[in-house]
Amino acid sequence: MGRNMARCKYCEKDFIGSSKSGTTHLKNHLRSCPSSKNPGVGAEKAEKKSVIDPKLNVSDLVQKIIKYGLNCIKNDILDVYQQEKEKLHKYFDKMSCRFSVTADRCSYSKGEVLFIAVCFIDDNWKLKNRVIVLENEEVLESSTEKFLKRSLQDWNIDKNICAKLGAKNSDEFNEWLTERASLLFICNVFPVFKFLDELESYIGYAGMRTEWNRDILDKASKILKYARTLSNENKLQYAVEKAVSMGKTVTDRSVPTLLVNFELLECNFELLEWVMEYKEAFCELEQIDPDFKSINFIEEDWDKATALYNCWKGIKDAASSLSDCKYNTANVCFPIVCDIFFKLCQWEKSDNRYVFKIALGLKSCFDEYWSNSNLLLVITVILDPRFKMDIIELWYKMIYGYDAEAQFKKIRDVVTDIFNEYAKGANSFKSSSIADRGVRNSSTPFKMLDSMGRPCKSSERINDVTLPTSELERYLEDSKFPAVTDFDLLAWWHVNSPAYPTLARMVRDFFAIPVAAPVEYLDSSLATEIGNIFYFSNLDYDLRGALACTKIWLHYTSEN
């Protein structure tokens, strides 16, 4: 029996027109048909029409794909890509939030892929991310910045960006995004986890490669080589036992099996840590084996090693506390960064000249980061109902000392200005939230009660009581949430957003900026499949990006 068919008049693609499907398939196709939006290219599309006959059964279809490759169903794949893109497009359009955007490169076996991804807090107050573009950088017809501009406009989010992460962009590009932003836009955000890596790299190798730390690590590697020699194992063990018997502290850690590699920070730190923990045993080993004395640290070496280890461990502990956080929103970063700031201030005052040298190098790096990121971290920790403004004041007193009050006032004024920008055109004191909270507008007469709870005859109004005049003040003066560690901040704001609508808008912007931890845009198995798509050189370039993006979007759809 023959089948009824429907044909697109623009691209001449055929669709089954059975009684069940009717013209639904054709209507769905027309929404995304490129030829319908660009009359005149229909003939060209017809020449590239799929070689797959819609009447083929599954087995025949697979045989055709095996014989001709995926390019033979290019139009079919691009149709699905357009349909899935349109769905995600509509999903974004419905969101009452802004987006932070990341543009970066990811490597695969044959090269690099430029990807553009967005992070946002959806209307259910869940932190989400989506890859929206994947493209071989080598086939870009324009600069990366022009490509990014075009992509953001194509997705209709160019006027709805709150922050830009990834590689630094030109001032012209940042101005373009700033001018289009309806509210505050933060450009060139540098994630805290990358900043900590940079500090650790400076201490461990990169920033001080010609300094004394290289010499210390060289000597430490010689000690390790000695300890791993079979003939010296018993000597070292005897030295450990002797030191312990004298009441000295020696770790029970075994000799590291790592290979010395000055390019690997983890290896360097583990080596240094082992040497520091065996210090007392090495002092005894000198008495047992005179040959060891020639390679052991002298007093000045121990001063250098102690300074290097303590500073390095301070940075590593900060990175560890960040990675241990269950919730990866930016509010968790403020106390960690402030703790590093405080340590640097102390190291700068150290009598140990090696500690001072390390602090001097780190401080210039830290000052640049602090000036660029302080405001973002301050706002997010203020919007944490466990801490609010109090945590800022406490840390500023520790860091700035006598200048703390001036610095605190400056940052509070800036935060207030930003809040006022968000509040423009919106009524912060919505009647529903006021009624729920039992708060009335300060222009409304308040009757006073005496100490017995009776109406006071002396006054009909409270003229000497200052009530909060803004939503921000109400929030700051309200009781804080208990300072528990296992606290879902987004869940709290989901519940309390009707009471603080303007602040809730700020939360959805600032907490969507992924600075605390690397974002897993793709799980490992999916990332491997995406890499494989770009690896196959026999696929058309435009097909690779469409196929990869569609696979990602369908993956998220199946999860939901």
Side-chain angles (χ1 to χ4, degrees):
M1 176 181 284
R3 295 185 179 183
N4 294 322
M5 304 297 293
R7 174 170 294 179
C8 173
K9 66 180 181 180
Y10 299 106
C11 67
E12 300 185 13
K13 182 178 177 65
D14 292 328
F15 296 89
I16 297 173
S18 66
S19 58
K20 289 185 178 180
S21 55
T23 58
T24 302
H25 291 166
L26 180 60
K27 289 180 179 178
N28 290 337
H29 167 74
L30 288 174
R31 294 194 188 102
S32 57
C33 178
S35 299
S36 67
K37 298 176 183 177
N38 301 281
V41 300
E44 180 184 349
K45 289 290 181 181
E47 292 176 6
K48 297 182 179 180
K49 193 170 66 171
S50 168
V51 301
I52 300 298
D53 187 335
K55 299 177 182 179
L56 292 176
N57 60 36
V58 174
S59 178
D60 292 336
L61 178 61
V62 172
Q63 289 179 25
K64 287 287 186 181
I65 294 175
I66 293 173
K67 183 176 180 180
Y68 296 106
L70 286 174
N71 287 319
C72 74
I73 54 169
K74 178 177 179 177
N75 282 356
D76 304 86
I77 293 174
L78 293 179
D79 277 346
V80 175
Y81 164 74
Q82 288 294 340
Q83 291 167 19
E84 294 302 317
K85 181 179 179 179
E86 186 177 355
K87 289 178 186 176
L88 191 55
H89 224 299
K90 289 179 179 178
Y91 174 67
F92 286 164
D93 289 344
K94 291 178 181 177
M95 289 291 108
S96 56
C97 64
R98 295 202 293 161
F99 304 85
S100 68
V101 62
T102 297
D104 214 335
R105 295 166 180 82
C106 56
S107 300
Y108 67 103
S109 57
K110 290 292 185 179
E112 288 189 331
V113 178
L114 177 68
F115 76 90
I116 301 174
V118 292
C119 290
F120 56 98
I121 296 173
D122 68 13
D123 291 342
N124 293 318
W125 285 85
K126 299 296 182 183
L127 188 58
K128 298 285 184 70
N129 66 76
R130 291 290 184 272
V131 173
I132 58 175
V133 176
L134 280 165
E135 186 62 83
N136 275 97
E137 191 172 10
E138 66 216 42
V139 300
L140 293 182
E141 297 177 357
S142 56
S143 69
T144 303
E145 287 190 356
K146 287 183 179 179
F147 176 71
L148 181 56
K149 278 185 182 181
R150 190 167 65 249
S151 298
L152 295 179
Q153 289 174 320
D154 177 45
W155 281 89
N156 196 32
I157 58 174
D158 54 307
K159 297 180 181 179
N160 215 18
I161 302 296
C162 61
K164 161 71 175 60
L165 290 85
K168 285 189 176 181
N169 295 105
S170 66
D171 292 338
E172 181 184 352
F173 179 78
N174 290 334
E175 287 173 7
W176 179 79
L177 274 175
T178 301
E179 289 171 359
R180 303 177 81 75
S182 56
L183 289 166
L184 176 70
F185 167 72
I186 307 177
C187 61
N188 297 333
V189 176
F190 194 60
V192 174
F193 66 90
K194 286 189 177 180
F195 168 64
L196 295 177
D197 287 345
E198 191 173 283
L199 294 185
E200 187 184 345
S201 178
Y202 179 88
I203 294 176
Y205 178 66
M208 301 165 63
R209 66 183 63 186
T210 59
E211 296 288 340
W212 46 267
N213 72 323
R214 181 61 182 261
D215 179 55
I216 289 298
L217 292 172
D218 275 332
K219 288 186 175 182
S221 67
K222 291 177 182 177
I223 294 175
L224 176 62
K225 185 177 180 180
Y226 171 94
R228 289 169 59 179
T229 303
L230 189 61
S231 59
N232 296 326
E233 286 183 356
N234 291 335
K235 297 175 187 177
L236 179 59
Q237 183 59 36
Y238 182 73
V240 170
E241 292 171 357
K242 185 177 179 181
V244 171
S245 68
M246 297 170 64
K248 297 179 179 180
T249 302
V250 181
T251 181
D252 58 357
R253 174 200 302 249
S254 58
V255 177
T257 58
L258 56 88
L259 296 173
V260 177
N261 187 334
F262 292 110
E263 301 296 331
L264 299 178
L265 292 176
E266 285 301 321
C267 289
N268 292 347
F269 181 78
E270 187 179 344
L271 172 61
L272 183 62
E273 187 171 46
W274 172 75
V275 170
M276 294 300 300
E277 291 176 348
Y278 267 70
K279 178 181 178 179
E280 297 297 341
F282 293 153
C283 292
E284 298 304 320
L285 187 56
E286 283 187 357
Q287 310 302 319
I288 300 170
D289 184 0
D291 291 338
F292 178 74
K293 188 173 183 177
S294 63
I295 63 171
N296 194 21
F297 285 2
I298 61 176
E299 184 176 351
E300 186 179 6
D301 292 334
W302 284 117
D303 287 343
K304 294 176 181 178
T306 301
L308 184 63
Y309 174 72
N310 288 338
C311 294
W312 199 344
K313 190 173 186 303
I315 302 301
K316 287 191 74 69
D317 287 347
S320 178
S321 62
L322 184 62
S323 63
D324 289 342
C325 292
K326 181 178 178 181
Y327 301 101
N328 292 321
T329 44
N331 56 305
V332 303
C333 301
F334 179 79
I336 293 171
V337 174
C338 284
D339 187 49
I340 293 175
F341 197 167
F342 180 64
K343 283 185 172 73
L344 286 175
C345 293
Q346 291 180 310
W347 294 345
E348 280 186 309
K349 301 172 185 176
S350 175
D351 294 332
N352 187 313
R353 66 180 184 274
Y354 300 110
V355 171
F356 175 76
K357 279 185 177 181
I358 294 174
L360 203 62
L362 292 179
K363 194 65 163 58
S364 59
C365 177
F366 183 88
D367 287 344
E368 181 182 0
Y369 177 81
W370 182 255
S371 63
N372 292 334
S373 303
N374 182 31
L375 180 61
L376 168 62
L377 301 184
V378 163
I379 289 176
T380 55
V381 80
I382 288 174
L383 294 174
D384 187 330
R386 297 171 297 173
F387 303 114
K388 302 189 180 182
M389 195 68 77
D390 293 350
I391 191 173
I392 313 292
E393 191 170 12
L394 290 172
W395 274 111
Y396 274 32
K397 284 179 180 178
M398 289 183 64
I399 293 169
Y400 291 111
Y402 293 113
D403 194 37
E405 187 174 344
Q407 294 290 339
F408 179 70
K409 183 180 183 305
K410 185 188 298 183
I411 197 69
R412 178 161 183 159
D413 289 345
V414 173
V415 172
T416 301
D417 289 343
I418 292 173
F419 168 80
N420 290 336
E421 286 296 315
Y422 272 81
K424 276 183 181 178
N427 182 6
S428 297
F429 282 85
K430 292 188 177 181
S431 58
S432 59
S433 60
I434 293 172
D436 292 340
R437 298 178 52 79
V439 178
R440 300 171 70 184
N441 191 291
S442 58
S443 63
T444 305
F446 281 78
K447 292 183 178 181
M448 295 185 68
L449 302 175
D450 62 16
S451 58
M452 302 295 289
R454 297 168 299 192
C456 183
K457 297 179 181 179
S458 61
S459 176
E460 289 295 319
R461 294 179 62 92
I462 300 178
N463 297 318
D464 57 344
V465 177
T466 303
L467 294 175
T469 57
S470 78
E471 180 187 319
L472 176 61
E473 290 181 1
R474 285 194 293 112
Y475 167 77
L476 294 176
E477 292 184 14
D478 282 348
S479 299
K480 295 195 292 289
F481 191 86
V484 296
T485 55
D486 191 11
F487 175 65
D488 190 339
L489 182 140
L490 294 183
W492 188 92
W493 274 103
H494 190 188
V495 173
N496 290 276
S497 57
Y500 311 112
T502 302
L503 291 174
R505 287 184 65 197
M506 293 177 65
V507 168
R508 291 183 71 178
D509 281 0
F510 287 97
F511 284 82
I513 304 174
V515 300
V519 179
E520 296 294 336
Y521 293 107
L522 305 173
D523 61 43
S524 57
S525 60
L526 188 58
T528 300
E529 292 184 61
I530 298 305
N532 289 338
I533 290 173
F534 282 93
Y535 172 82
F536 290 120
S537 58
N538 62 327
L539 287 179
D540 293 348
Y541 278 116
D542 57 343
L543 185 55
R544 297 182 197 186
L547 193 59
C549 284
T550 305
K551 188 171 189 64
I552 294 170
W553 300 336
L554 291 174
H555 173 78
Y556 282 118
T557 302
S558 64
E559 279 190 343
N560 296 333

